Amino acid sequence: MGKFDLLPRAIRVETPDERDRIKELERQIKDLKNALAETQVRYIIAESQLEVVCEQQGLDVEEVKKKLKDKPSSRQ
């Protein structure tokens, strides 16, 4: 008997439906993580573009952001 035989063990019994559901949830988590990463990249690109345009136009980035926040959105 080795020392690992003395460690407590947990045994989980799953039905095929539970196993399928877990795999589906894991797939959804992966898809959501990918979507979030893509959104973050798009946000960083948009921020960078805004900074470049503001620099080219001689505008203060923070003032432009503030004006954009205060402006009602037509995308709702």
Side-chain angles (χ1 to χ4, degrees):
M1 189 187 243
K3 62 181 175 183
F4 292 111
D5 293 330
L6 300 175
L7 294 176
R9 295 182 188 184
I11 298 174
R12 177 158 161 53
V13 178
E14 298 174 344
T15 65
D17 287 343
E18 288 174 322
R19 191 171 49 246
D20 292 344
R21 181 68 178 143
I22 290 170
K23 286 184 189 263
E24 173 62 20
L25 291 171
E26 287 171 342
R27 186 196 61 76
Q28 287 178 3
I29 290 169
K30 180 182 173 190
D31 290 348
L32 288 169
K33 284 181 178 181
N34 288 337
L36 177 60
E38 183 177 328
T39 300
Q40 289 172 323
V41 168
R42 287 175 188 250
Y43 177 80
I44 290 168
I45 290 170
E47 284 276 312
S48 298
Q49 289 174 329
L50 177 64
E51 290 174 8
V52 168
V53 169
C54 287
E55 184 178 309
Q56 289 174 344
Q57 299 297 318
L59 302 171
D60 181 54
V61 176
E62 295 307 316
E63 285 182 27
V64 172
K65 286 182 184 180
K66 185 176 182 231
K67 286 180 184 178
L68 289 173
K69 274 186 185 176
D70 295 340
K71 185 177 180 179
S73 176
S74 60
R75 298 179 102 189
Q76 294 178 7

